[in-house]
Amino acid sequence: MNSLQRFFIATKYINTQLRIIALGVLAIQPTWASPLSIDAKLLLEGRVPLEKREVSDKIGRLLFAQQPNSTVPITITGVKINSTASGIEVILQTTLGSKLQVVDKSDTKSFTVDILNAQLQLPNGNQFQQEKPIAGIAEVTVSNQNANTIRLMVMGETTAPKAELFDGDEGLIFGFTPVASTTQQPQTQPTPAPQPPATQEKPSEKPQADTNNDPIELVVTGEQDRYRVPESSTATKIEVPIRDIPQSIQVIPRQVIEDRKVTRLSELTDNVSGVQRQSGYGGLSSTTYYIRGFDSSESLRNGFKDFAFTSPRDTANIERVEFLKGPASVLYGAGSTLGGIVNTITKKPLTEPFYKISMTAGNFNFYRPEIDLTGPLTDDKSLLYRLNLAYENANSFRDGVENESIFVSPVITWNISQNTTLTAELEYQKYDYTFDRGFFPDPIVFKLPVSRLLLGEPDYSRNEVESLAFNYNFEHKFSEQWKIRQGFSLLEVNSNTKEVTLANFASPFLDVDGRTLQRKASESNGPQENYSLQNELSGKFNTGSVRHNVLVGLELSRSLFGYQFFNAPIASIDIFDPKYGAKPRREDFVPSYSPEEYGANTVALYLQDLIEITPNLKLLAGGRFDWVDSFYRNEDRTTDLEQSDFRFSPRIGLVYQPSNSTSLYASWSNSFSPEIFSRNRTGEPFKPTIGEQIEVGIKQDFLDNRLSATLALYQLTKQNVLTTDPEDPDFSIQSGEQKSRGIELDIAGEILPGWRLIATYAYTDAFVSKDNLLPVGDRLVNIPYNSASLWTTYEFQKGSLQGFGFGLGAVYAGEREVQLPNTRTKLPSYIRADAALFYRLNNYKFGLNFKNLFSTKYYDTQGFFITPNAPFTVLGSVSVEF
């Protein structure tokens, strides 16, 4: 008998004695005594079986119950899955593994434990998932349950696996043996790709805690393969479980983008309640929306302001998109953020090599290759990279319309030390497309083919956009509780536009013959710039039994928009029998007005505290002070307006959690937007437009947290809206008001292994509540009373169809107004159907996506022009990961 065998025998004996002692302690322990927690040092670094069949429920509760804790959570910096002779082991990487407190919550199908004094902070997102790591185990997930708890869940294919607990140098280690298939050897999941055969080693005879051999990592990288995302940073600027946020926020992960084969981010409005897409700038793939009835013409890119209306956004490097509903000025300041704001989070470098090449092709001559490369640049993984490339070339269902796009995005992460990181990211996109305004606002356009090009000429209309975005993010941890962050963003957009638009913007748009449309040519150009510097300090501390998670930030920003327009006559067009080929004469162009520019310089201070009064009662309170110096002027200085605004934007919300799966919340918040473009009749500047929201709701998790739902009720009020001055109709006063109130339901997650869905419903009543010119009661544009959607996929998990899957989707929107004041032109209601087929084979994936299966006619608007959407579209795709 060697020393290792003697060690295991001794360890088994000690474990047996400990169980006997635990039984005795349980028998004499007073009801008020503190329960014991797992301490790997106390158990002499041996094995602690967690299976309930071996330890009675009573002893399990004794050994694994929560110990009173007054300290801040321990950080888990990584999750690994390694192969063992009998199954797998899951390693939660931390230097304080012996201090983790574990509560057993297993059932007959899954092994589940809550780690009550820890938080997951991974390099590529605060959640981990691996499907089918070996035969007999369906899924391994690790995620943050709240600000102080991690949940590890290992689902068996037929019954819960056997489990053991170990302590090692890397952290807390759980060993798992499938009950139904204990004799089968482990095998890797097809996606991500397994390691090359040369790197595969014989499974170790014992877990990582007992060997010095390099682990066989079954999961090294890979994108999150799930629809439910439990955390978000947009609402609070810190990673917080969504269930702890007293505001509705929906996160669309990369998996939905892949499954639906989204090529324009605006398509994601189908998967979020209460959000409608706007018509882009002449067909530009921009990210402007209507959220809860109001225009949201500003968006975020990694938490920094983006030019949503005029700047293209490619999907190649998008990790997820977060939709925060309701006022966002509390953290993001002045702007069009009353209804909400959308934040696109980009992919970051991974610590292990991961390579993906994909190709998508479809009708209308659509071609789009993409490349995604990531991994370490140095052996010690202190320097990481990621590179996303995409090229797109396509025609359109619209006559003579085409587009071409080149996208490049390199990212570098430098792990300067264990506590210090620097990530720098660059995005460059050149987007060249046919400028197409769509249709003019008249009911007659609904009788025309959706392919008809009226406000455009194939050989003239064009927009060339170049955008360059750079940002860095520097973080340093003073301790597990406190850190500083500095972020900088630079965004430059240059465009040269040639468009054909209406000669007359007032109805009637057609000549007396009812078919001739008078048009004009317009050309414009101008730079757009935005610079932002954010400095933040965040930390966690306790005041007695109350926990605090605080954020203090200082932001400096500058924005500038410049433009100049030139107009010229161009031939009219017969809307029923168009003849293309018209071009304006260069000598006919005249400036419409002197070159103009507008922008703002902002200094802002914001504070926030997420307070855990008790484990099930949380208070979120915060506010932002903004000092905004705005300007609007033209070159000849006939217009030269400047004004300074100071505004405090508060938010307060309360969350009550009667159980681990239910959150009830209520919140109040407001926002503001400066009015710079005009003055009242006495020459005085206008006050900012302000917004206020009251929201209550419930967030509920189902099916062991695999499925989540949010039900929200809200009322939004927009005040200080400009309306006609009754004493002088050439001027305005600030007495207008608009309201939006409604109900929203969002559901996302996994019903069964392989069956995922994301579903929405919204009732929105958005209307003019007070005005001197607009009729009170008129509905706000592009907002249906009722809208709903469903997207679901199923992938076979075993048998001869394993790897094959399909998806089905439907989108409904009711009738919508095109203009304010409302006219006889209304966008008709519609129901659209989508479908998908896909097949995974090892590291390959093949897919077919069918959009608008029945060629339903449906339209969007930005408040004037009507944009038709594509009929039946097929996209075929193939990708390989290695």
Side-chain angles (χ1 to χ4, degrees):
M1 179 181 297
N2 58 35
S3 58
L4 188 60
Q5 291 173 320
R6 285 194 294 271
F7 172 79
F8 278 122
I9 291 174
T11 302
K12 185 174 182 180
Y13 174 78
I14 293 172
N15 284 335
T16 301
Q17 299 304 311
L18 285 172
R19 292 193 191 97
I20 295 172
I21 294 171
L23 281 170
V25 171
L26 185 64
I28 63 174
Q29 178 179 330
T31 57
W32 47 262
S34 299
L36 299 175
S37 64
I38 292 180
D39 190 327
K41 299 299 182 183
L42 175 65
L43 299 180
L44 301 181
E45 299 186 352
R47 308 187 181 195
V48 185
L50 300 178
E51 189 184 10
K52 291 184 178 180
R53 286 183 293 272
E54 296 183 18
V55 184
S56 71
D57 288 340
K58 200 170 185 180
I59 300 176
R61 288 193 299 270
L62 173 69
L63 291 176
F64 308 123
Q66 180 183 13
Q67 188 179 43
N69 179 24
S70 60
T71 62
V72 297
I74 295 170
T75 299
I76 304 298
T77 58
V79 179
K80 284 186 178 180
I81 296 181
N82 296 329
S83 172
T84 66
S86 59
I88 61 171
E89 62 181 12
V90 178
I91 305 174
L92 305 183
Q93 294 178 310
T94 177
T95 58
L96 301 172
S98 63
K99 299 185 180 300
L100 294 174
Q101 302 168 8
V102 183
V103 174
D104 184 18
K105 294 182 176 290
S106 302
D107 54 34
T108 58
K109 187 68 182 289
S110 67
F111 169 86
T112 305
V113 291
D114 282 353
I115 303 172
L116 298 161
N117 60 330
Q119 278 289 280
L120 206 59
Q121 293 186 10
L122 306 180
N124 60 327
N126 293 337
Q127 55 186 344
F128 177 93
Q129 182 184 36
Q130 174 63 59
E131 291 186 355
K132 300 192 71 174
I134 61 170
I137 293 181
E139 184 179 53
V140 177
T141 60
V142 187
S143 61
N144 289 327
Q145 288 296 104
N146 53 48
N148 303 288
T149 305
I150 290 175
R151 172 164 290 183
L152 166 65
M153 183 168 66
V154 181
M155 292 187 62
E157 291 184 346
T158 58
T159 187
K162 293 182 178 180
E164 293 180 298
L165 176 65
F166 309 90
D167 181 37
D169 294 336
E170 286 194 80
L172 198 61
I173 305 172
F174 295 85
F176 297 101
T177 303
V179 172
S181 308
T182 55
T183 61
Q184 297 183 17
Q185 290 299 311
Q187 59 186 28
T188 59
Q189 184 192 8
T191 304
Q195 297 295 315
T199 65
Q200 297 284 350
E201 300 178 13
K202 180 180 178 181
S204 61
E205 297 298 326
K206 49 193 174 296
Q208 177 68 15
D210 301 319
T211 181
N212 293 322
N213 295 331
D214 293 332
I216 303 173
E217 295 190 28
L218 300 179
V219 181
V220 292
T221 67
E223 298 164 0
Q224 295 299 322
D225 188 19
R226 62 197 306 169
Y227 281 13
R228 174 185 176 270
V229 180
E231 287 195 346
S232 169
S233 59
T234 301
T236 58
K237 283 202 168 188
I238 54 177
E239 291 291 345
V240 173
I242 290 177
R243 66 190 305 267
D244 290 349
I245 299 172
Q247 201 167 341
S248 179
I249 181 167
Q250 307 305 319
V251 182
I252 308 299
R254 182 71 192 182
Q255 192 63 42
V256 175
I257 297 175
E258 293 284 349
D259 289 352
R260 290 191 57 209
K261 198 51 63 180
V262 169
T263 59
R264 301 290 184 268
L265 282 181
S266 57
E267 296 179 55
L268 295 180
T269 58
D270 296 337
N271 302 118
V272 184
S273 67
V275 181
Q276 300 292 324
R277 69 172 64 89
Q278 283 195 39
S279 302
Y281 184 55
L284 182 70
S285 58
S286 55
T287 53
T288 52
Y289 310 93
Y290 291 101
I291 304 178
R292 289 186 169 175
F294 292 103
D295 172 27
S296 180
S297 59
E298 291 188 355
S299 64
L300 303 174
R301 184 191 318 230
N302 292 322
F304 291 98
K305 289 286 182 72
D306 198 0
F307 295 144
F309 186 65
T310 56
S311 175
R313 290 297 288 118
D314 201 277
T315 61
N317 70 330
I318 302 300
E319 181 64 34
R320 66 185 185 274
V321 183
E322 302 188 353
F323 290 78
L324 174 63
K325 300 178 187 179
S329 291
V330 65
L331 291 177
Y332 302 107
S336 301
T337 59
L338 172 58
I341 202 162
V342 181
N343 188 17
T344 55
I345 310 296
T346 57
K347 299 176 182 177
K348 299 301 185 288
L350 304 179
T351 57
E352 302 294 338
F354 175 73
Y355 314 110
K356 181 178 181 180
I357 300 175
S358 63
M359 178 67 188
T360 304
N363 53 345
F364 309 118
N365 293 320
F366 181 92
Y367 300 97
R368 181 182 171 87
E370 292 184 33
I371 298 176
D372 184 4
L373 312 174
T374 186
L377 291 172
T378 57
D379 292 338
D380 62 358
K381 300 181 181 180
S382 62
L383 203 60
L384 311 173
Y385 82 96
R386 191 153 197 167
L387 177 64
N388 281 275
L389 307 171
Y391 173 77
E392 182 176 305
N393 193 308
N395 293 336
S396 170
F397 69 97
R398 301 279 288 165
D399 297 334
V401 173
E402 60 184 10
N403 74 273
E404 183 181 33
S405 173
I406 299 172
F407 177 79
V408 181
S409 179
V411 189
I412 295 291
T413 294
W414 180 20
N415 295 310
I416 302 172
S417 70
Q418 184 177 359
N419 297 319
T420 309
T421 61
L422 174 66
T423 297
E425 180 173 355
L426 181 71
E427 288 185 32
Y428 170 80
Q429 184 169 10
K430 182 177 182 182
Y431 196 78
D432 185 359
Y433 66 101
T434 304
F435 197 93
D436 174 18
R437 282 290 193 183
F439 294 142
F440 55 94
D442 191 283
I444 198 171
V445 302
F446 301 125
K447 299 179 181 179
L448 302 176
V450 295
S451 61
R452 184 67 47 84
L453 179 67
L454 298 178
L455 299 176
E457 285 289 340
D459 295 329
Y460 171 72
S461 301
R462 209 77 192 166
N463 193 17
E464 298 178 355
V465 183
E466 279 192 284
S467 64
L468 179 68
F470 169 79
N471 68 77
Y472 74 74
N473 189 73
F474 173 82
E475 290 189 2
H476 174 73
K477 290 183 178 181
F478 297 107
S479 65
E480 290 293 333
Q481 295 79 40
W482 290 93
K483 72 175 182 179
I484 59 169
R485 170 189 168 270
Q486 182 180 84
F488 173 77
S489 172
L490 176 153
L491 178 60
E492 294 183 350
V493 179
N494 288 281
S495 62
N496 289 282
T497 306
K498 298 178 180 180
E499 68 167 305
V500 176
T501 188
L502 294 170
N504 176 25
F505 279 80
S507 180
F509 303 102
L510 299 176
D511 290 352
V512 292
D513 61 2
R515 60 187 303 146
T516 302
L517 181 67
Q518 298 296 329
R519 309 180 299 172
K520 69 179 179 182
S522 180
E523 297 187 1
S524 62
N525 58 72
Q528 302 170 48
E529 302 172 357
N530 192 82
Y531 306 90
S532 297
L533 178 67
Q534 299 174 353
N535 300 274
E536 296 173 352
L537 172 67
S538 60
K540 301 176 182 179
F541 63 92
N542 297 343
T543 53
S545 62
V546 177
R547 299 173 183 268
H548 299 266
N549 192 343
V550 299
L551 172 74
V552 180
L554 174 68
E555 181 173 14
L556 311 175
S557 66
R558 173 178 172 80
S559 61
L560 173 67
F561 302 81
Y563 49 88
Q564 183 175 15
F565 285 89
F566 299 86
N567 296 331
I570 196 171
S572 61
I573 194 169
D574 186 334
I575 67 171
F576 298 111
D577 186 20
K579 299 293 189 296
Y580 302 116
K583 290 184 178 181
R585 298 190 306 171
R586 302 313 307 171
E587 60 270 22
D588 290 341
F589 277 96
V590 294
S592 57
Y593 39 74
S594 175
E596 295 182 339
E597 64 178 9
Y598 69 94
N601 299 312
T602 302
V603 177
L605 175 67
Y606 47 95
L607 306 95
Q608 176 185 268
D609 191 4
L610 178 58
I611 306 169
E612 183 179 305
I613 302 171
T614 66
N616 62 349
L617 186 63
K618 300 175 176 67
L619 175 69
L620 178 65
R624 172 167 166 143
F625 299 87
D626 276 276
W627 293 265
V628 184
D629 292 326
S630 307
F631 60 88
Y632 170 49
R633 52 180 173 255
N634 57 15
E635 190 175 75
D636 58 16
R637 297 291 176 172
T638 56
T639 299
D640 191 0
L641 304 178
E642 295 183 358
Q643 72 182 57
S644 296
D645 293 294
F646 168 75
R647 188 74 187 177
F648 175 65
S649 303
R651 175 177 63 180
I652 188 168
L654 190 67
V655 178
Y656 172 64
Q657 297 166 333
S659 70
N660 289 333
S661 60
T662 304
S663 293
L664 306 173
Y665 71 90
S667 65
W668 172 83
S669 57
N670 68 26
S671 66
F672 79 103
S673 180
E675 290 286 352
I676 182 62
F677 294 105
S678 60
R679 295 288 190 266
N680 63 21
R681 57 187 169 84
T682 62
E684 297 174 339
F686 289 113
K687 299 176 182 178
T689 301
I690 60 174
E692 179 183 54
Q693 175 179 270
I694 299 174
E695 178 178 344
V696 297
I698 179 172
K699 301 179 183 183
Q700 181 69 46
D701 294 330
F702 303 94
L703 305 176
D704 292 326
N705 296 327
R706 298 196 309 272
L707 189 71
S708 295
T710 299
L711 178 66
L713 291 83
Y714 66 89
Q715 176 172 290
L716 270 165
T717 303
K718 183 179 182 179
Q719 297 176 321
N720 290 347
V721 178
L722 296 182
T723 183
T724 302
D725 188 336
E727 298 186 19
D728 189 340
D730 291 332
F731 291 91
S732 299
I733 59 174
Q734 287 186 298
S735 62
E737 182 184 84
Q738 298 172 358
K739 286 183 180 292
S740 176
R741 50 196 177 206
I743 302 172
E744 295 171 345
L745 175 65
D746 291 88
I747 303 173
E750 185 177 56
I751 300 175
L752 295 171
W755 183 10
R756 299 180 177 88
L757 70 78
I758 183 167
T760 73
Y761 169 76
Y763 171 81
T764 310
D765 185 15
F767 59 96
V768 176
S769 53
K770 188 186 300 183
D771 204 280
N772 293 334
L773 177 64
L774 300 175
V776 172
D778 266 17
R779 291 187 51 74
L780 304 187
V781 299
N782 206 31
I783 309 302
Y785 275 115
N786 293 282
S787 59
S789 69
L790 170 68
W791 172 258
T792 182
T793 62
Y794 181 76
E795 181 177 352
F796 291 92
Q797 302 295 296
K798 57 186 177 180
S800 58
L801 292 178
Q802 183 175 358
F804 174 76
F806 60 89
L808 294 171
V811 178
Y812 166 76
E815 186 179 74
R816 291 161 289 159
E817 297 291 342
V818 175
Q819 292 177 272
L820 195 63
N822 299 164
T823 66
R824 62 193 181 98
T825 306
K826 304 179 189 302
L827 300 183
S829 62
Y830 70 90
I831 298 177
R832 193 195 76 226
D834 303 325
L837 297 172
F838 58 89
Y839 180 62
R840 302 179 194 266
L841 179 63
N842 297 325
N843 54 335
Y844 289 88
K845 182 180 179 181
F846 306 88
L848 280 174
N849 285 77
F850 308 95
K851 301 185 179 184
N852 199 357
L853 278 171
F854 306 109
S855 288
T856 300
K857 284 188 176 183
Y858 68 107
Y859 308 83
D860 294 315
T861 182
Q862 95 309 356
F864 186 83
F865 294 106
I866 296 174
T867 303
N869 288 293
F872 176 64
T873 303
V874 180
L875 295 176
S877 60
V878 59
S879 64
V880 59
E881 301 175 0
F882 52 93

